[in-house]
Amino acid sequence: MKRVFSGIQPTGEIHIGNYLGAIRNWAKIGDQIGKEAIFCIVDYHAITIPHDASSLPRLTFEAALANMAAGLDPNKITLFAQSHVREHVELGWVFTTQTPLGDLERMTQFKDKSEQHSILSGLLMYPVLQAADILLYKADTVPVGEDQVQHIELTREIARRFNYRFASPEAPIFPEPKASIDTGAARVPGLDGAGKMSKSKNNTIGVLEPKDTIWQNIRVAPTDPQRIRRTDPGNPEVCVMFAYHKLFSNSDTVQMVDTECRRAGIGCVDCKKLLMENIWQTLEPIQAKAEYLREHPSEVTDALVSGADFCRTIAQDTMQEVRQAIGLLPLDSRRP
Ligand code: TYM
């Protein structure tokens, strides 16, 4: 791992799927490689579905704040907003011109989102901009949840195609980055038990959500549908609460819940109360940090400014190479 890049959309509240599937690993990687761990709030991606211009600046700030509260320390790692480094869009355009339409139309995320929203061309081009994000920094590793793996595969394809067309095999311009997945939390399920936790599905536990709202949502969340009465034995394998215990509780608790649920030794309400306490143990310090950052907003904005400064230098070097490789006339070509 020499350089790592990953991103998150500022489209709403950051949830425990984002935290466990991605941000928590980003913080660990930062401990190993410092500034070369680059994390981005991808605001240009957020406008590929209809958005409210008046709330986007706040959402971008909030996303940065939540990431910092959840463990990203801008004194160690690099954190920035995508639109502050314009080269993302420039490389995105170059890759757009080189990417077959069919590659984009078969992306699962595009198919899902185009059912929910009117199709803007930006939604189709979304993975091309994502490839530009990663390749602009020649990152070798991309820590993400499982839902992003297809996009990273396409990124590899885009890098390979670009190298083949515009560079020599001995001196490729772009590396082929690898996705890195936390197998324990690659696909955190939603509270409704109907698939992965996702902002668009309204089935989230927000990292910065108040304790009582989290509890209200957990309290009414479905468990094993076969377990109707308190005395019915349950099957933890089909219960989202058990999946969450595996993510938040220690192994003794997980073992106890597993055994006691199966023999109706513990009821769903008690199981949920125990879970709530363990979730809160993780979220409480994050929320305390978020509160501190809200009182010191310049710590967030300063981090974004210096993050963008660091990234711009790398991005400009890459773009110079790319412009030359694809045959653009240098701006200073009239000078001797
Ligand atoms: P986004 O904003 O949807 O999610 C941010 C990260 O959280 C992960 N994630 C999950 N992991 C486990 N379980 C879940 N339920 C869950 N939900 C979300 C995502 O996999 C992701 O790692 N396209 C990206 C943003 C992006 C990007 C990039 C990522 C733009 N450019 C370059 C990596 C590299 C996205 O929409 O993430």
Side-chain angles (χ1 to χ4, degrees), residues 5-9 15 17-18 21-22 26 42 45 109 126 130 133-134 142-148 151-152 185-188 196-197 199:
F5 185 97
S6 201
I8 187 163
Q9 293 200 68
H15 54 72
N18 301 131
W26 300 352
V42 291
H45 276 107
Q109 198 161 325
Y126 181 112
Q130 182 161 349
D133 296 340
I134 299 164
V142 190
V144 282
E146 198 180 68
D147 59 350
Q148 295 302 313
H151 287 170
I152 313 305
R187 190 186 162 86
V188 176
K196 74 160 185 170
M197 184 172 286
K199 288 167 216 176

Side-chain angles (χ1 to χ4, degrees), residues 120-183:
L120 303 171
S121 1
L123 188 61
L124 184 64
M125 299 310 159
Y126 181 112
V128 179
L129 181 59
Q130 182 161 349
D133 296 340
I134 299 164
L135 297 176
L136 200 48
Y137 303 98
K138 305 190 179 186
D140 49 55
T141 310
V142 190
V144 282
E146 198 180 68
D147 59 350
Q148 295 302 313
V149 169
Q150 197 185 31
H151 287 170
I152 313 305
E153 278 305 314
L154 182 67
T155 301
R156 295 166 62 81
E157 184 78 31
I158 287 174
R160 207 174 305 139
R161 196 179 290 123
F162 189 95
N163 289 335
Y164 180 76
R165 280 212 61 191
F166 301 112
S168 68
E170 304 78 48
I173 292 180
F174 294 114
E176 288 184 35
K178 288 191 194 65
S180 154
I181 293 178
D182 180 337
T183 45

Side-chain angles (χ1 to χ4, degrees), residues 196-229:
K196 74 160 185 170
M197 184 172 286
S198 161
K199 288 167 216 176
S200 60
K201 287 199 203 140
N202 222 2
N203 63 2
T204 59
I205 297 176
V207 167
L208 301 184
E209 203 174 326
K211 189 179 181 186
D212 54 338
T213 5
I214 298 178
W215 172 244
Q216 289 317 316
N217 292 333
I218 288 183
R219 200 176 54 83
V220 298
T223 55
D224 172 5
Q226 304 292 328
R227 193 175 186 196
I228 297 158
R229 283 175 295 268

